[in-house]
């Protein structure tokens, strides 16, 4: 092919170092460049492109066409395997893509800074669609999960509330934790007191795989408590025997047996 080649001369032989092909492609280390710039290295060589200087060296990929993606592609042979660059799915946002399987593995939003794994629309700082496995501790500042258990910490000395909230959809159904004020978690609990609050539902404790409730607090204005029953008809309804080692008091009513 017609082109322009540049050689260096050694002791007795010359070697081609750079070629400009007739289609305008430039090759370094190759006589048949397939791209605008193609650099070929020999096997076992750790060489490439170095940009250095005392200023702020940059490698800039800029598309002059709005909406087009710009990417770095990493491959071993063909086809290409991984892409890192702007996303066609969401303009001006960064995506790490498994190009072979056309999957967006990680996505970075440009305005919120949210990071998505398995999603291109993360709603939180880190949004993971799928399962996760952690071999070390996970610390969010307020919540720490480690091999020693689950620890919930107050974010500062002023906000002393430490809560675990349980949700169904967007509705919070239950709280477990300490209070920041006497009316915060449960009225009258007191600052720093520990409590369990259930929103518009009943509360049950079970020790036999959930087949029955050992302790049940009904969802009603009376909040009747049942032991051995989930339909307590009185303030305290016990199905079974009661063994008291001291006195059982009844104020204003006689004790009776059914």
């Amino acid at each position: 092919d017609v082109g322009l080649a540049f050689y260096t001369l050694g002791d007795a032989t010359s070697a081609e170092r750079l070629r400009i092909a007739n289609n305008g492609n430039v090759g370094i280390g190759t006589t048949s460049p397939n791209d605008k710039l193609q650099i070929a290295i020999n096997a076992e060589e750790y060489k490439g492109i170095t940009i250095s200087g005392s200023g702020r060296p940059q490698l800039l990929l800029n598309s002059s066409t709005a909406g087009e993606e710009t990417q770095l592609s990493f491959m071993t042979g063909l086809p290409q395997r991984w892409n890192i660059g702007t996303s066609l799915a969401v303009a001006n946002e960064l995506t790490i893509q498994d190009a072979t399987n056309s999957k967006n593995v990680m996505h970075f939003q440009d305005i919120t800074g949210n990071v998505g794994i398995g999603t291109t629309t993360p709603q939180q700082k880190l949004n993971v669609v799928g399962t996760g496995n952690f071999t070390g501790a996970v610390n969010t500042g307020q919540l720490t999960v480690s091999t020693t258990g689950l620890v919930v910490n107050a974010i500062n000395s002023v906000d002393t509330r430490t809560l675990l909230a349980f949700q169904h959809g967007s509705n919070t159904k239950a709280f477990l934790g300490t209070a920041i004020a006497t009316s915060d978690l449960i009225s009258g609990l007191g600052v720093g007191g520990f409590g369990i609050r259930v929103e518009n539902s009943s509360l049950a404790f079970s020790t036999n795989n959930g087949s029955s409730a050992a302790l049940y607090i009904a969802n009603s204005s009376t909040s009747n408590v049942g032991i051995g029953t989930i339909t307590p008809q009185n303030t305290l309804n016990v199905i079974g025997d009661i063994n008291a080692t001291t006195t059982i008091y009844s104020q204003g009513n006689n004790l009776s047996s059914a």
Side-chain angles (χ1 to χ4, degrees):
D1 293 338
V2 178
L4 179 63
F6 295 83
Y7 289 79
T8 58
L9 183 62
D11 293 338
T13 59
S14 61
E16 182 177 321
R17 301 302 183 184
L18 184 146
R19 174 178 290 260
I20 303 175
N22 61 351
N23 59 4
N25 290 349
V26 176
I28 299 176
T30 177
T31 59
S32 54
N34 296 312
D35 298 288
K36 289 300 181 183
L37 174 62
Q38 182 175 344
I39 300 174
I41 61 175
N42 296 323
E44 305 301 327
E45 284 187 338
Y46 292 93
K47 297 179 180 179
I49 300 175
T50 300
I51 303 174
S52 62
S54 59
R56 298 179 179 178
Q58 296 184 14
L59 177 62
L60 177 62
L61 304 179
N62 182 27
S63 173
S64 60
T65 303
E68 285 294 330
E69 58 187 2
T70 55
Q71 295 182 339
L72 287 175
S73 295
F74 301 85
M75 65 186 77
T76 301
L78 294 174
Q80 63 187 38
R81 294 290 301 176
W82 291 91
N83 293 336
I84 299 177
T86 56
S87 173
L88 278 179
V90 185
N92 301 321
E93 297 187 349
L94 183 66
T95 295
I96 299 177
Q97 182 187 56
D98 175 1
T100 303
N101 298 300
S102 299
K103 291 184 178 180
N104 293 323
V105 178
M106 184 174 288
H107 188 87
F108 302 84
Q109 288 185 333
D110 64 333
I111 297 177
T112 65
N114 292 348
V115 178
I117 298 177
T119 176
T120 58
T121 56
Q123 303 301 311
Q124 288 80 32
K125 288 301 180 184
L126 176 61
N127 194 168
V128 180
V129 176
T131 59
N133 182 30
F134 301 90
T135 58
V138 179
N139 191 335
T140 66
Q142 287 184 281
L143 180 67
T144 300
V145 183
S146 67
T147 55
T148 59
L150 177 67
V151 179
V152 183
N153 299 300
I155 196 168
N156 53 52
S157 59
V158 177
D159 187 357
T160 56
R161 179 193 293 111
T162 55
L163 292 175
L164 285 178
F166 300 87
Q167 292 188 187
H168 182 268
S170 60
N171 298 318
T172 303
K173 293 297 184 180
F175 296 94
L176 172 68
T178 60
I180 191 175
T182 56
S183 60
D184 179 44
L185 182 62
I186 299 173
S187 180
L189 178 62
V191 177
F194 183 82
I196 300 174
R197 189 178 85 193
V198 179
E199 300 288 332
N200 302 317
S201 187
S202 301
L203 176 63
F205 299 86
S206 177
T207 59
N208 56 355
N209 299 322
S211 60
S212 62
L215 176 64
Y216 182 87
I217 303 175
N219 174 28
S220 66
S221 59
T222 60
S223 296
N224 290 348
V225 177
I227 298 178
T229 178
I230 59 172
T231 56
Q233 304 302 312
N234 309 98
T235 302
L236 175 62
N237 196 166
V238 179
I239 303 300
D241 297 332
I242 298 176
N243 182 15
T245 58
T246 56
T247 305
I248 297 177
Y249 292 94
S250 174
Q251 296 182 358
N253 296 295
N254 295 324
L255 295 176
S256 62
S257 60

